[in-house]
Amino acid sequence: MALIDVKVPDIGDFKDVAVIELLVKPGDRVAVDQSLITVESDKASMEIPSSHAGVVKELKVQLGDKVSEGSVVLTLEAEGAAAAAAPEPAPAPVAAPAVAAAVPATAPAPTPAEAPAPTVAPAVASTPAAPHQPASAPVLGLPHASPSVRKFARELGVPLAEVKGSGPKGRITLEDVQNFTKAVMAGTVQTQAQAAHAPAPAAGTGVGLDLLPWPKVDFAKFGPIERKELGRIKKISGANLMRNAVMIPAVTNHDDADITELEAFRVQLNKEHEKSGIKVTMLAFLIKACVAALKKFPEFNSSLDGDALIFKHYWHIGFAADTPNGLVVPVIKHADQKGILQISQEMAELAKKAREGKLGPADMSGATFTISSLGGIGGRYFTPIINAPEVAILGVCKSQMEPKWDGKQFVPRLMLPLSLTWDHRVIDGAAAARFNAYLGQILADFRRVLL
Ligand code: COA
């Protein structure tokens, strides 16, 4: 029995690609062509096959390691003719580009003497990968699926070992993974993990969200289309928004604040400070007014921790900033200790950093409450999503002149629409209405901040 180093074959332009899956372990018997590891670049994932048959002696890579052509994957106690000759594997054909993986492979099937071409799948598969017929059936009952199907399953959290393959020789197809997911969502199938952890449901009670599968529409049938990947910020914020929208029982209260005098004061301040370069914004006043309301209603400045509330004795206010790359939330720290001019200046600096994509994690962490202002853009009211683990968020829209009855006549007043979304596990409707009313009083007469 000869010991053979099984190496990464020629994988084209892929260099220093990360190992994301180990498909075998020491002691496993592997066949020629059998996938040993999965590697992934930013564009594609691919399985690295074995050039020889034999028994795995030692794995030379770990999850997260970077490999390139020639990197040793494992040592193998080779069997049969290979053990006697122990030939170096012939270079594999260059890996197909990611997009080409979606169409049937045209390369000739490798012979056992050749190192087989790695199977390449798009990092985000839009169409099912081509069926790839291995030279031999998988050994040891490993889930038998193409890299794109494995990746798809990983993204959905589907345990491939529990999916029954309907393809040739039991190969798991993309449709098998989709059908398994639908069955789990519909509650007709349980994964082993669910079965192990979920309490037995009482008869007639619902389990899970029981949602319909996402509608699958071939848009191109109806007209020309273009596919663009979401940017990094959208991907990250999307996942956070989804969790917050689903997990928080959120309610929104709408109200109006009379800011006629405050706006006149703001305009006056800006005239006085014209030369300083600092522009005083309505948002700076809102931050200060919110701090006063948060101090009066401390549960709005708290976070849920199991069955307890953590009350924070600091007031860091996040504000949503629209940037070309998506929404970010920089934070004004210790807003209670800062004046309107300082807050305005810091906000301008943070908004600039946000637009230039230069905000660091410290600029965006620690908020105890958030304000999302669409005042500079327009609209009347909206329902902002709470930024967990905060328990409330204030949405602000564009102020406008409205006729208000003063007891004798209608007078023009500048009204600011407020939308306060709050977590009903922590706050109730009466407290939210009081918070909004108090905020309105402060904004109508800012001297109240001093009280
Ligand atoms: N009502 C009427 N006008 C308002 C207003 C309000 N509530 N708030 C601001 N404005 C006016 C300002 O006075 C300014 O007018 P001017 O140029 O004549 O002086 C104009 O709108 C633009 O204001 P802006 O410079 O954007 O300052 P801001 O303090 O209102 O906002 C940001 C700063 C960073 C918050 C803002 O640029 C932004 O990104 N907003 C979008 C936030 C968002 O997308 N939220 C939604 C999350 S779902």
Side-chain angles (χ1 to χ4, degrees), residues 355-367:
R355 280 192 295 276
E356 292 168 354
K358 290 184 180 158
L359 286 177
D363 293 321
M364 293 187 280
S365 54

Side-chain angles (χ1 to χ4, degrees), residues 54-241:
V55 175
V56 178
K57 285 306 282 179
E58 191 188 348
L59 274 174
K60 297 286 191 184
V61 291
Q62 294 181 345
L63 288 180
D65 282 0
K66 297 280 170 63
V67 295
S68 305
E69 180 188 347
S71 305
V72 179
V73 176
L74 50 79
T75 49
L76 196 74
E77 209 164 45
E79 290 172 343
E88 275 297 297
V94 174
V99 282
V103 296
T106 50
T111 65
E114 288 172 332
T119 317
V120 181
V124 180
S126 53
T127 46
H132 163 83
Q133 202 64 42
S136 58
V139 185
L140 299 168
L142 276 172
H144 180 23
S146 72
S148 62
V149 171
R150 283 179 190 286
K151 182 165 175 52
F152 183 56
R154 262 200 313 281
E155 282 169 358
L156 294 179
V158 168
L160 261 192
E162 295 174 38
V163 180
K164 201 167 162 10
S166 65
K169 297 188 183 170
R171 190 174 187 77
I172 299 167
T173 65
L174 194 101
E175 282 72 28
D176 294 331
V177 176
Q178 285 170 332
N179 289 337
F180 183 85
T181 310
K182 284 180 200 167
V184 171
M185 296 299 283
T188 54
V189 164
Q190 258 193 332
T191 63
Q192 285 171 14
Q194 282 175 329
H197 294 107
T205 57
V207 175
L209 290 175
D210 206 9
L211 300 173
L212 288 174
W214 194 258
K216 210 172 170 209
V217 177
D218 179 7
F219 302 109
K221 260 189 0 198
F222 303 103
I225 59 166
E226 186 189 354
R227 184 184 163 88
K228 273 190 183 170
E229 291 304 318
L230 289 176
R232 197 177 62 84
I233 292 181
K234 281 242 160 75
K235 279 189 200 160
I236 296 169
S237 61
N240 279 285
L241 289 166

Side-chain angles (χ1 to χ4, degrees), residues 266 279 281-283 319-322 327 347 351 355 372-377 382 396-399 416:
R266 188 186 76 86
K279 183 180 168 191
T281 65
M282 186 49 72
L283 197 47
F319 65 98
D322 187 29
L327 189 70
M347 247 172 40
R355 280 192 295 276
S372 176
S373 172
L374 294 173
I377 304 167
F382 69 114
V396 181
C397 283
K398 195 176 178 67
S399 58
L416 180 72

